[in-house]
Amino acid sequence: MAKVHVTELVLRDGHQSLIATRLRTEDMLPICAQLDAIGFWSLEAWGGATFDACVRYLKEDPWERLKKLRKALPNTRIQMLLRGQNLLGYRHYADDVVSAFVQKSADNGVDVFRIFDAMNDLRNLRVSIEAVKKSGKHAEGTISYTTSPVHDIPHFVSLAKELEAMGCDTLAIKDMAGLLTPYTTGELVSALSAAIKLPIHLHSHATSGLAAMCLLKGVEAGASIIDTSNSSFGEGASHASTESIVAALAGTEYDTGLSLSALQEITAYFREVRKKYWQFESDFTGVDTRVLVNQVPGGMISNLSNQLKEQGALDRMDEVLAEIPRVREDLGFPPLVTPTSQIVGTQAVLNVMTGARYKSVTNEVKNYLLGQYGKAPGTINTDVKSLAVGNAETINCRPADLIDHEMDKLRAESEKLAKTEEDVLTYAMFPDLAKTFLLERNAGSLKPEALLPKEKTTASSAPRYAPNE
Amino acid sequence: MAKVHVTELVLRDGHQSLIATRLRTEDMLPICAQLDAIGFWSLEAWGGATFDACVRYLKEDPWERLKKLRKALPNTRIQMLLRGQNLLGYRHYADDVVSAFVQKSADNGVDVFRIFDAMNDLRNLRVSIEAVKKSGKHAEGTISYTTSPVHDIPHFVSLAKELEAMGCDTLAIKDMAGLLTPYTTGELVSALSAAIKLPIHLHSHATSGLAAMCLLKGVEAGASIIDTSNSSFGEGASHASTESIVAALAGTEYDTGLSLSALQEITAYFREVRKKYWQFESDFTGVDTRVLVNQVPGGMISNLSNQLKEQGALDRMDEVLAEIPRVREDLGFPPLVTPTSQIVGTQAVLNVMTGARYKSVTNEVKNYLLGQYGKAPGTINTDVKSLAVGNAETINCRPADLIDHEMDKLRAESEKLAKTEEDVLTYAMFPDLAKTFLLERNAGSLKPEALLPKEKTTASSAPRYAPNE
Ligand SMILES: [Co+2]
Ligand SMILES: [Co+2]
């Protein structure tokens, strides 16, 4: 009997983290029978950035992808990642859109909804959790993990208790930046296990090379579901490798019950597939522990570096890296994940480049300070706030409380293009993108972005030793 | 106070495992001051395949490298890897060569000698251990870890006790193939800690993605020195990343006491340096768990695959992979490491390609069966033995007992080329190679193999998301 359950991430977070979410449905389907036979607790295969990437780059209908995966994976739960009231878009939606989106996701094949909010403002999760429960599916409440003076274990425990009270079926710890260390994971999981009855599901990115150790200590402390990615799309910005964790736990009281040799076929398949996408590979795919030193996630550093390069100011990078924790503190220590990572990063760049802090303030920071993203985890710096927004009125309610039902309006706006309720929801996520997408789809003229011809391999005629000591 | 000590491998096993041992001295020296200031227990920086690579490819005098490193690392122990009676060459040497080699290594800067034998025949370690003790340096006795019906914990414990009795200062567990799993590591280290007084030093390759977890469980079980490589040359066929392990243990009772931020400068330096050597990179640098399924180390698989490709028989790979464990069993379960990996692999290919097992037998297998490499860990298949060598006489003594002192002969042979005793020892390791090398060195005409101009980066104009969930 399996004591520890595994969620396989290769169809979503694996390729999202390593090849910019570009894996195509045609490259997923041929291996689905094998994936389906392994016995994973779930296969994360939808949501996150995949919806955007389908519409924007791959010119695939994301709902069609879901239907095909559902058909190809009859025996395995399909899991998606949902950004709470933001769904898979970049703003807060009205509650009727949230309910409709969840219902259609359930109808088309999603079994497990992992729901999170960048601020850990649980009010932003309530409606989607309710919608999942109403659809009869599995609601996984999620804590976005970060470190700060306000993010201590009691803080996370109180979030977990609330999520349990809200009716969640499992609790996820989502360490998107690779900040968890193994012994902290153990303490956190122990505290959560003692405080709630929900099974604990652990998600920790391998960016800083700590993920496998975190899973191990998490499992020892009572986590019963762990997230891993097949090694072909594992490690680095992705996750601990499925095969490694299966091997690590085999024969112990934490045995996953999964077959290491059956997994090899999947590995061999995806290793070949990944080569097709070489143009989306990062220059560096190894371990990067800088986030543990300066608290700035790796993805944010590369975005900032591009931003500074465009302004010919790459030499200001160290100042920006030093400014980021100060801006984050001013904003009450939000976890750094979409959209807060962009909000904090862009303001930090401005603070450095203008030579005076908050001399210029972005609209996003203003909105943030007015409560339009939800409640900050810590205390907002009142000097910064009055500097930025003066006496403008602050929202104290749930941001979506101020948004009227909008499905009818969205239906009307997309009437000429949308053939289904799913199309309306695609339109709701990315109105401009979706217009072009639906138009081309209806005309049968969709063209995915080109994949560049295979790069020549780096194999040289130089003799190589195999490591032989 | 540091509770766990760290050996940094970047100057030897890191680049040996990932860029075919090609790192040049000129790329080591500029960062030595920083490496020296960290506070590592030791820096592995010499021995293994580096001596061969210096002479064969880099056209560097390996003894000059050692002297330069010694000067550049005044505060840190320099560690080398020594193949027991094989030293850094590929045959058994006479005892006087072993003693001279160890003494010269000590004289020129080696502090810690890690000494192993591919067969774990400890008779092949005795003379080098004695020589290290005589030179006043640190002797680390080594167990080559492998799995087989005869390689159980009591077997390893008895080896460790013998090594302790032989006067070793520390005991290394050397898992060259990445076969250790975390809980097995814990059990093994616990058993060893209970049986011997020597500090336990853990070396596990990250090939199968288990190394960091093994170090963690090893440390919990009492290992006090662990091997890691800076992340710039870490993971994959190399080792768990130094920074990750330092971060994992920071603030716990196992704290290494090393500064994570000081390490970042070293990482940044070697990341840039590594790019120079792109032509020696493997196509794949990720996790590979196949060794855990078929017991054939990754390096062996790629060598076999080349061998079969040359014979136009790549389609026989599966048969060869199935034959390898059978040949290994026939030979009494040697660990698969140089030279036994080649001995077993080549015979397995022959057994498959000729269509009849042992119809053709390599000279190496014949010599092996006659005891010329030492004593096999398990029982040799007597049918195979009589088929291969008939009634030929078996050596039961230590192989080097049959080799007369040879320093005088080596001195005479190399007289015209060798300017120092070190030169004679270089000649002893690789007579043909060294002749050319010393000739060119004396003429001032050494030319290192060319480094190809930098490959264009894979960066494309395609937009990339930073992983943002
Ligand atoms: Co993730
Ligand atoms: Co090694």
Side-chain angles (χ1 to χ4, degrees):
Chain A
M1 274 299 292
K3 300 286 175 51
V4 169
H5 304 282
V6 176
T7 291
E8 170 61 57
L9 304 173
V10 66
L11 299 182
R12 205 282 300 177
D13 209 355
H15 71 98
Q16 178 171 331
S17 300
L18 295 178
I19 54 162
T21 331
R22 293 312 208 283
L23 192 63
R24 300 175 178 199
T25 306
E26 70 195 46
D27 285 327
M28 300 176 179
L29 296 176
I31 199 70
C32 276
Q34 286 86 338
L35 284 165
D36 196 41
I38 294 292
F40 295 118
W41 186 82
S42 67
L43 252 161
E44 196 196 32
W46 212 62
T50 64
F51 200 99
D52 185 330
C54 275
V55 174
R56 191 184 301 265
Y57 303 118
L58 309 184
K59 306 300 176 186
E60 288 188 24
D61 187 327
W63 301 98
E64 286 302 316
R65 170 181 289 190
L66 177 56
K67 281 178 214 172
K68 287 177 185 163
L69 288 173
R70 175 71 292 161
K71 212 173 155 192
L73 297 163
N75 303 302
T76 308
R77 290 184 192 89
I78 290 180
Q79 179 171 321
M80 79 170 286
L81 180 68
L82 192 74
R83 292 194 279 267
Q85 204 74 22
N86 286 2
L87 298 171
L88 302 179
Y90 303 108
R91 66 170 178 94
H92 284 259
Y93 289 97
D95 291 341
D96 66 337
V97 181
V98 172
S99 302
F101 196 93
V102 167
Q103 189 59 51
K104 282 297 170 192
S105 302
D107 291 348
N108 285 293
V110 173
D111 298 298
V112 178
F113 293 75
R114 173 175 292 170
I115 308 172
F116 81 103
D117 177 67
M119 308 279 280
N120 280 326
D121 183 341
L122 302 189
R123 299 173 306 173
N124 294 333
L125 303 190
R126 185 176 52 76
V127 174
S128 34
I129 291 172
E130 285 169 5
V132 171
K133 299 308 296 177
K134 192 170 160 235
S135 75
K137 301 297 183 180
H138 184 114
E140 182 160 275
T142 303
I143 294 170
S144 296
Y145 182 78
T146 189
T147 55
S148 88
V150 301
H151 287 91
D152 53 11
I153 287 183
H155 175 81
F156 291 123
V157 166
S158 86
L159 291 172
K161 282 180 169 173
E162 272 192 75
L163 287 166
E164 181 170 50
M166 287 162 81
C168 291
D169 300 292
T170 45
L171 179 89
I173 302 169
K174 177 178 167 64
D175 173 27
M176 52 279 175
L179 288 166
L180 275 173
T181 65
Y183 293 96
T184 303
T185 308
E187 286 171 38
L188 177 59
V189 171
S190 291
L192 293 172
S193 299
I196 62 171
K197 290 202 181 66
L198 303 182
I200 293 169
H201 195 158
L202 200 49
H203 180 90
S204 181
H205 281 259
T207 321
S208 33
L210 298 169
M213 293 183 281
C214 292
L215 295 182
L216 198 75
K217 297 309 289 183
V219 159
E220 288 181 358
S224 54
I225 320 170
I226 54 178
D227 275 14
T228 61
S229 180
N230 182 279
S231 66
S232 54
F233 282 99
E235 309 303 329
S238 177
H239 291 263
S241 297
T242 306
E243 306 94 293
S244 307
I245 301 296
V246 165
L249 302 178
T252 74
E253 59 181 306
Y254 313 112
D255 202 321
T256 64
L258 306 187
S259 159
L260 187 57
S261 64
L263 289 168
Q264 304 297 323
E265 199 184 340
I266 296 164
T267 311
Y269 172 80
F270 277 122
R271 272 204 200 181
E272 281 308 305
V273 160
R274 184 166 169 179
K275 292 178 184 167
K276 272 177 65 174
Y277 298 93
W278 66 269
Q279 72 199 86
F280 305 107
E281 296 278 353
S282 296
D283 280 348
F284 182 75
T285 56
V287 158
D288 187 348
T289 56
R290 280 175 296 181
V291 68
L292 300 173
V293 176
N294 56 29
Q295 313 298 314
V296 182
M300 223 178 131
I301 292 184
S302 58
N303 291 344
L304 286 168
S305 147
N306 288 336
Q307 219 171 313
L308 289 172
K309 207 183 283 174
E310 279 166 21
Q311 304 179 42
L314 207 49
D315 58 321
R316 313 296 295 273
M317 190 65 176
D318 284 347
E319 290 168 80
V320 171
L321 287 178
E323 176 65 5
I324 285 170
R326 290 195 288 260
V327 173
R328 185 171 172 237
E329 179 168 2
D330 293 336
L331 300 189
F333 298 110
L336 295 178
V337 61
T338 304
T340 43
S341 49
Q342 290 86 336
I343 295 173
V344 171
T346 306
Q347 187 60 50
V349 170
L350 272 179
N351 285 1
V352 167
M353 297 299 291
T354 61
R357 307 187 71 219
Y358 304 104
K359 182 176 169 188
S360 171
V361 178
T362 66
N363 282 331
E364 286 73 19
V365 167
K366 288 178 187 164
N367 290 337
Y368 179 100
L369 292 167
L370 295 172
Q372 289 181 8
Y373 292 89
K375 192 176 176 316
T379 312
I380 284 176
N381 183 324
T382 48
D383 294 343
V384 168
K385 188 176 167 186
S386 56
L387 197 67
V389 295
N391 292 324
E393 203 186 346
T394 305
I395 295 167
N396 290 311
C397 63
R398 182 183 70 117
D401 285 341
L402 304 177
I403 309 173
D404 286 332
H405 277 200
E406 52 183 337
M407 276 305 285
D408 286 343
K409 179 165 158 280
L410 292 164
R411 276 189 204 103
E413 283 174 20
S414 61
E415 192 183 18
K416 289 198 181 123
L417 294 163
K419 296 186 181 282
T420 60
E421 187 87 344
E422 284 85 350
D423 287 349
V424 176
L425 292 164
T426 302
Y427 172 78
M429 291 305 104
F430 318 109
D432 293 336
L433 263 185
K435 256 183 227 163
T436 317
F437 175 81
L438 294 172
L439 200 71
E440 291 179 358
R441 188 203 58 183
N442 296 346
S445 66
L446 285 173
K447 272 207 198 88
E449 73 184 334
L451 293 179
L452 299 180
K454 239 178 222 175
E455 200 186 23
K456 70 166 179 31
T457 58
T458 56
S460 70
S461 56
R464 290 197 89 260
Y465 273 115
N468 60 16
E469 309 289 8
Chain B
M1 276 297 294
K3 300 286 174 52
V4 169
H5 303 284
V6 176
T7 291
E8 170 60 58
L9 304 173
V10 66
L11 299 182
R12 204 282 299 177
D13 209 355
H15 71 96
Q16 178 171 330
S17 299
L18 296 178
I19 55 161
T21 331
R22 292 313 208 282
L23 192 63
R24 301 175 178 198
T25 306
E26 70 195 46
D27 285 326
M28 300 176 179
L29 296 176
I31 199 70
C32 276
Q34 286 85 339
L35 284 165
D36 196 40
I38 294 293
F40 295 117
W41 186 82
S42 68
L43 253 162
E44 196 197 33
W46 211 62
T50 64
F51 199 100
D52 186 328
C54 275
V55 175
R56 190 184 303 265
Y57 303 118
L58 309 183
K59 306 299 177 187
E60 287 188 23
D61 188 327
W63 300 98
E64 286 303 315
R65 170 181 290 190
L66 177 56
K67 281 178 214 171
K68 287 177 185 163
L69 289 173
R70 175 72 291 161
K71 210 173 157 192
L73 297 162
N75 303 302
T76 308
R77 290 185 192 89
I78 291 180
Q79 179 170 322
M80 79 168 287
L81 180 68
L82 192 74
R83 291 194 279 269
Q85 203 75 22
N86 287 2
L87 298 170
L88 302 178
Y90 303 108
R91 65 170 177 93
H92 284 260
Y93 289 96
D95 292 341
D96 65 337
V97 181
V98 172
S99 302
F101 196 94
V102 167
Q103 188 59 52
K104 282 296 170 193
S105 303
D107 291 348
N108 285 294
V110 173
D111 299 297
V112 179
F113 292 75
R114 174 175 292 169
I115 308 172
F116 80 103
D117 177 65
M119 308 278 279
N120 280 326
D121 183 341
L122 303 189
R123 298 174 306 174
N124 294 332
L125 304 189
R126 185 175 53 77
V127 175
S128 33
I129 291 171
E130 284 169 6
V132 171
K133 299 308 295 178
K134 192 170 160 232
S135 74
K137 302 296 182 180
H138 184 113
E140 181 160 275
T142 304
I143 295 171
S144 296
Y145 182 77
T146 189
T147 54
S148 87
V150 302
H151 288 92
D152 52 10
I153 287 183
H155 175 81
F156 291 123
V157 166
S158 86
L159 290 172
K161 282 181 171 172
E162 272 192 76
L163 287 165
E164 181 170 50
M166 287 162 81
C168 291
D169 300 293
T170 46
L171 179 89
I173 302 169
K174 177 179 169 63
D175 173 27
M176 53 277 175
L179 287 166
L180 275 173
T181 65
Y183 294 95
T184 302
T185 307
E187 286 170 39
L188 177 59
V189 172
S190 291
L192 292 172
S193 301
I196 63 171
K197 292 204 181 65
L198 303 183
I200 293 168
H201 195 159
L202 201 47
H203 179 89
S204 181
H205 281 259
T207 322
S208 32
L210 298 169
M213 294 182 280
C214 292
L215 296 182
L216 197 76
K217 298 309 289 183
V219 159
E220 289 181 357
S224 54
I225 320 169
I226 53 178
D227 275 15
T228 60
S229 180
N230 182 278
S231 66
S232 55
F233 282 99
E235 309 303 328
S238 176
H239 290 264
S241 297
T242 305
E243 307 94 294
S244 307
I245 301 295
V246 166
L249 301 178
T252 74
E253 58 182 307
Y254 313 111
D255 202 322
T256 63
L258 306 187
S259 158
L260 188 57
S261 64
L263 289 169
Q264 303 297 322
E265 198 184 341
I266 296 165
T267 311
Y269 172 81
F270 277 121
R271 272 204 199 180
E272 280 308 305
V273 160
R274 184 166 168 178
K275 292 179 184 166
K276 272 177 63 175
Y277 298 92
W278 66 271
Q279 72 200 87
F280 305 107
E281 296 278 355
S282 295
D283 281 347
F284 182 76
T285 56
V287 158
D288 187 346
T289 56
R290 281 175 296 181
V291 68
L292 301 174
V293 176
N294 57 28
Q295 312 299 315
V296 182
M300 225 179 130
I301 292 184
S302 58
N303 291 344
L304 285 169
S305 146
N306 288 336
Q307 219 171 314
L308 288 173
K309 208 182 282 175
E310 279 166 21
Q311 303 179 41
L314 207 50
D315 58 320
R316 313 296 294 273
M317 191 65 173
D318 284 347
E319 289 167 81
V320 171
L321 287 176
E323 175 66 5
I324 285 170
R326 289 194 289 261
V327 172
R328 185 172 171 238
E329 180 169 2
D330 292 337
L331 300 189
F333 298 112
L336 295 178
V337 60
T338 304
T340 44
S341 49
Q342 291 86 333
I343 295 173
V344 170
T346 307
Q347 187 60 50
V349 169
L350 272 180
N351 285 1
V352 166
M353 296 301 288
T354 61
R357 306 187 71 220
Y358 304 105
K359 183 177 167 186
S360 172
V361 178
T362 67
N363 282 331
E364 286 74 19
V365 167
K366 287 178 187 166
N367 290 337
Y368 179 101
L369 292 167
L370 294 172
Q372 291 183 6
Y373 292 90
K375 192 176 176 315
T379 312
I380 284 176
N381 183 324
T382 48
D383 293 344
V384 168
K385 188 177 170 188
S386 56
L387 197 67
V389 296
N391 291 324
E393 204 186 346
T394 305
I395 296 167
N396 289 311
C397 63
R398 183 182 71 115
D401 285 341
L402 305 177
I403 310 175
D404 287 332
H405 277 200
E406 51 183 338
M407 278 303 286
D408 286 343
K409 180 167 157 278
L410 291 163
R411 277 189 202 104
E413 283 173 20
S414 62
E415 193 183 18
K416 290 198 178 123
L417 296 163
K419 296 186 182 284
T420 61
E421 186 87 343
E422 284 84 350
D423 287 348
V424 175
L425 292 164
T426 303
Y427 172 78
M429 292 304 105
F430 319 109
D432 293 335
L433 263 185
K435 257 182 225 162
T436 317
F437 175 83
L438 293 172
L439 199 71
E440 291 178 1
R441 188 203 59 184
N442 295 346
S445 65
L446 284 173
K447 272 207 198 91
E449 72 185 333
L451 292 179
L452 298 180
K454 239 178 223 176
E455 201 186 23
K456 70 167 180 30
T457 58
T458 56
S460 69
S461 57
R464 288 197 91 259
Y465 272 116
N468 60 16
E469 309 288 6

